[in-house]
Amino acid sequence: MHTAAGIPNVLSISSVDPTGASGLLADMKSLSALGAYGCGVVVAVLVQDTQAVREVHPVLPPVLRGQLDALLADVALAAAKTGLLPAVTTITEVADALAARLPPQLVVDPVLLDRRGQAVLDKPVVAALREALLPLATVLTPNLPEAGLLLGRRAPDSVREMQQAAEALREAMTHAGSRWVYLKGGRLTAADSPDLLFDGDKMIELPAPRLRVQAQGAGCALSAALAALLPQCADVPTAARRARQYVAGALAQTAQLNVGQGPAPLHHLHALWR
C-alpha cells in the first residue's frame, strides 16, 4: 500500500450528477479546494439537471464492490465520505467494504431528500443506512428533515429539538472511538442558521447569520469539506468550523456562476479562481 506525506488522500463514495452541482463531481472540487487529493467510487449515475433529479441508476453491486476493494487495497486513505446511496444493496456493499478497511475518518452524509425536500429513498434504504453505516461514521451530517427520517419522527423545528435529535442520533453511532453528529440548522425558520455539533458529551452551537442565497449542493460541500479537513485539523470542532466557513464563502460567490436554469451550484473553487 502506498503512502503520501502531507497531502491527505480522501475518498468520496457517491453518485454522478452531470451538472457538477452535487455528488461526486462536486466533492472533487471541494476536496481539491481544501488541499486533499480526491479519489472517487461511483455508486449511481443520475439523470439530473439543475432543476430536478429525474432518474437514479445504481451501479451493479459487483461493479461497486470491485471499485471499493481495488481502491481500499491500494490507496492509503486519510478519510472517506459517503453521499447518496440509492439502494439497500448499495449500502450493504459500502458498509461491508469500509468495515473491513475503515479509514481513520468517515463522514456520512445521509442524502435522503432532494433540494425541494422530496424523499429520494424509501424506508428500507433509510433503515439500512441507519443500521449498517451510522455505526461506522466519525461524523454524521444530516439536515433537519434527514434527522427526522433517520429517527422516525418529524423534523426538529427549534434549537432545543435539534439538541434532542443530535442526542438520539449520537446513540446510534455505537462504533468505538470519537463520534460526532453535525446537525445542520439551515432549514429552521429563524433569522439565523445555527448548526449543532455533538459527541455524546459536548454540545457545541455554531451560530451564523442566514444567507439568503438560492443554491444547491451545500450539503455535499460541507461533508466533503469535513472529510478534507479532518486529517488536517487538531480536532473535529476545528474542522467543522473551517468547513462551515468554506461553505459560507462558496455560497456567497454563487452569483459568479451561470449554470443551467435552476438554482446555481455553490462556487466550490471561489478562493482559487480570481
Side-chain angles (χ1 to χ4, degrees):
M1 181 181 290
H2 302 300
T3 60
I7 299 173
N9 300 317
V10 179
L11 170 62
S12 170
I13 304 170
S14 193
S15 58
V16 173
D17 164 10
T19 73
S22 62
L24 192 61
L25 299 181
D27 288 347
M28 292 302 107
K29 299 169 196 173
S30 294
L31 296 174
S32 299
L34 293 168
Y37 180 84
C39 306
V41 164
V42 179
V43 303
V45 176
L46 307 183
V47 178
Q48 178 175 350
D49 55 26
T50 59
Q51 301 175 77
V53 178
R54 305 183 187 282
E55 298 175 19
V56 179
H57 297 278
V59 168
L60 293 173
V63 177
L64 171 57
R65 188 57 183 261
Q67 294 179 79
L68 287 163
D69 287 346
L71 187 68
L72 291 169
D74 181 55
V75 179
L77 295 173
K81 66 144 289 189
T82 63
L84 175 65
L85 303 176
V88 171
T89 53
T90 305
I91 294 168
T92 300
E93 294 293 350
V94 169
D96 287 350
L98 290 175
R101 295 188 179 94
L102 190 64
Q105 310 281 355
L106 175 63
V107 179
V108 173
D109 184 9
V111 181
L112 306 177
L113 304 160
D114 65 17
R115 180 179 52 80
R116 297 172 296 175
Q118 301 298 311
V120 295
L121 301 178
D122 57 22
K123 289 183 179 179
V125 179
V126 176
L129 180 67
R130 183 173 58 242
E131 294 164 10
L133 208 53
L134 262 61
L136 302 179
T138 307
V139 185
L140 174 69
T141 64
N143 59 31
L144 300 185
E146 289 163 347
L149 287 171
L150 288 170
L151 294 171
R153 61 176 75 162
R154 67 174 177 82
D157 62 5
S158 68
V159 173
R160 177 58 186 150
E161 289 187 0
M162 286 178 65
Q163 293 170 346
Q164 294 168 345
E167 291 168 354
L169 288 168
R170 177 59 182 79
E171 291 179 2
M173 301 167 67
T174 56
H175 196 279
S178 176
R179 296 293 181 264
W180 294 78
V181 175
Y182 186 121
L183 184 54
K184 299 173 287 190
R187 299 195 184 214
L188 289 180
T189 57
D192 56 358
S193 179
D195 295 344
L196 292 183
L197 192 63
F198 181 61
D199 71 343
D201 179 28
K202 299 182 290 295
M203 185 76 71
I204 301 171
E205 185 170 335
L206 305 175
R210 184 176 302 281
L211 294 175
R212 304 294 180 180
V213 178
Q214 290 294 321
Q216 54 184 312
C220 293
L222 178 72
S223 56
L226 275 169
L229 291 168
L230 285 170
Q232 303 180 68
C233 292
D235 52 39
V236 172
T238 301
R241 291 186 177 95
R242 286 187 58 188
R244 182 175 174 130
Q245 183 180 28
Y246 164 75
V247 173
L251 278 167
Q253 299 300 319
T254 293
Q256 293 188 26
L257 301 177
N258 180 19
V259 182
Q261 301 176 56
L266 276 70
H267 194 344
H268 303 87
L269 301 174
H270 63 279
L272 303 177
W273 292 1
R274 299 294 186 186

